[in-house]
Amino acid sequence: MKKGTASDGVVYHAGFPNAGEDQRFESLSIDQLIFRHRASTYLWRIDSQGVPQLGWQAGTIVAVDRALGPREGDLVVAVVDEDFTVRRYRSGKIEQLDGRAETSQEISLWGVITHAVQEYRTP
Amino acid sequence: MKFALVDCNNFFASCERVFRPGLEKRPVIVMSNNDGCVIARTNEVKALSIGMGVPIFKVKDIVRANRIQLFSANFELYGDISQRIVTILRQETPLIEVYSIDESFVDLSELPIDDTRAWAKRVQDRIQQEVGVPVSIGVAPTKTLAKVASTYAKTHHNGIEIVDTDEERREMLRDMPIEELWGIGRKLAPKLKDKGVSKALALIESSDAWLNQQFNVTGMKMVDELRGQARIPFGDKSDQRKMIMRSRSFGHAIRAYHHLESAVATFTAQAAANLRAQGSVCRGIVTFLDSGKIDRENRIYASQLVTLDEATADTGQLISAALKGLETAYDREGTYRKAGVIIVNIQSVEEWQLSLIAGDEKRDEKQALMRAMDRLNKKFGTGTVWHASEAHGDSDWQSRRSQRSPRYTTRLGELPTLKR
């Protein structure tokens, strides 16, 4: 016999249970997504030229995590001739977004791009 | 016992380099905001014999000739980077004592670490890789030895010095100049040198009778620690506090604003860390300065409360508030022996959220604040604490920071830029 049905003659309160009573939770925040690693995540802003290849307009905010090792196809921040640039990691190398090899000798990986936040309406 | 000191190399200058790759091998100086003294310098600058605290105008020819990059201090950036490093340390070990903005002690005694060197290397690599700042790590049986070891590590063994055996300890202290030691100031060092003692090992292997003549109780504690006997306890782990104070007496009287400024920023970063550690936020911070007894009659005690519009536990916001307080409390004519900050009007995050819902946060907070002010005024004398809005002179606070880098990590409007 199923327990807790009305035929048992037991009266049940049918209101919604208050989840807040025995459970602690936080409202969602986009931080949970972007700052998986608080210590190593830095925010950047795309300059006035934007990155059309990726559909990023000028001013797009980009999250970069320095704790991650790059994986095949990752977007990364690379220092090219002392400039910070958006590049792609492929076959163990840093290449330009259109797939061309990077010509500069002075190139190093700064961090892996994890998210882009596009603002469509400024306050 | 086994303690580690994790010490950032040329911390402020290293923070500036995180966002300026072109400065990797170039000399960098960070200046105090108001009078342009050197408060941090890279190794390239040290090699040019430019000392700490030197007014920049005195070395302007060297600066130009060597294309030294100058920065005004950017304490929001340094506070945030410091916080990131502490976050990593907390992931690696439960027992940490944030000693200053660029140094943290770690108690390794109880931790199941088989290979101390491998542990230190891992921490060093993580901070370099994830935050972008180089650190030196000293590990030793006492805190004082750990501190010496971290200094030693800056020029030996790729930034890691582990002092395990007595031999290693003596080796490290043999050539260590006494002025590098904790607690031996610029005043004491020449006196000891006059008596023929200039190296740490020679000092601590002097007779106890002679040492007792040179040092007070604190000094003898240091000697014991350098001999390998732990005398300084690790951190303090108190529960939720309603006021958090961080202060320190200086070894000598301080007049220069920039010294006070970095001290206050450091204390604030520590206090803010404690605040967060206990899950609280605050609405006010008091900065205080104390001249100590000048003579029988006179003692200058100046302090300033700065209230915050929003409850916060954010290091950057608290540091800028504390520095505003310092601006007002500071008197050009004064000399100070002690400085500190007190975080007041502390609430738990839960309390704060509840009060927001109740909609009477402002009223409650004002009452609590008044009580806090009353207590302070009672303790230190009327007029100790007053609202920033009652005081004058917030005026040219911002304008002095002509060469300050953007606050890359604490202001959405100042994020670093990325090109395609």
Side-chain angles (χ1 to χ4, degrees), chain A residues 24 38-47 49-52 61 66-67 77 79 82-87 110, chain B residues 18-22 80-81 84 87-88 128-132 350 408-409 412-413 415-420:
Chain A
R24 295 171 66 88
R38 258 285 162 201
S40 56
T41 302
Y42 290 94
L43 297 181
W44 289 74
R45 202 180 279 280
I46 298 298
D47 79 353
Q49 293 191 299
V51 187
I61 291 175
R66 287 175 57 99
V77 169
V79 183
E82 304 191 0
D83 279 332
F84 289 102
T85 60
V86 180
R87 291 291 182 267
W110 197 88
Chain B
V18 173
F19 295 99
R20 292 284 300 272
D80 181 75
I81 301 269
R84 288 167 185 262
T87 302
I88 288 179
Q128 174 71 64
Q129 167 72 42
E130 298 182 24
V131 182
E350 288 88 337
Y408 300 110
T409 61
L412 275 179
L415 297 179
T417 52
L418 201 48
K419 295 181 179 181
R420 68 182 189 213

Side-chain angles (χ1 to χ4, degrees), chain B residues 11 28 36 67 85 112 122 136 169 181 208 216 236 247 256 259 277 320 351 369 398-399 411:
Chain B
F11 180 56
V28 175
R67 293 178 56 233
I85 293 166
R122 174 187 156 81
S136 299
R169 182 180 65 86
L181 296 175
D208 281 4
N216 59 13
D236 71 296
S247 66
H259 283 139
S320 58
E351 268 171 51
L369 192 58
Q398 291 297 334
S399 62
R411 306 281 169 146

Side-chain angles (χ1 to χ4, degrees), chain B residues 14 25 28 36 43-44 78-80 99 102 119 138 151 155 162 167 183 192 203 215 265 303 308 404 416:
Chain B
S14 296
K25 296 274 181 284
V28 175
N43 294 341
E44 296 80 5
Y78 312 150
D80 181 75
Y99 182 70
D102 58 354
W119 177 88
T151 307
T155 48
I162 317 274
E167 232 162 76
L192 293 168
L203 178 73
F215 290 118
S303 69
L308 299 150
R404 197 198 61 208

Side-chain angles (χ1 to χ4, degrees), chain A residues 9 14 18 25-26 30 55 93 110 117 120 122:
Chain A
N18 182 354
F25 55 83
E26 275 176 45
I30 203 79
K93 285 203 287 277
W110 197 88
V117 179
Y120 289 102
T122 46

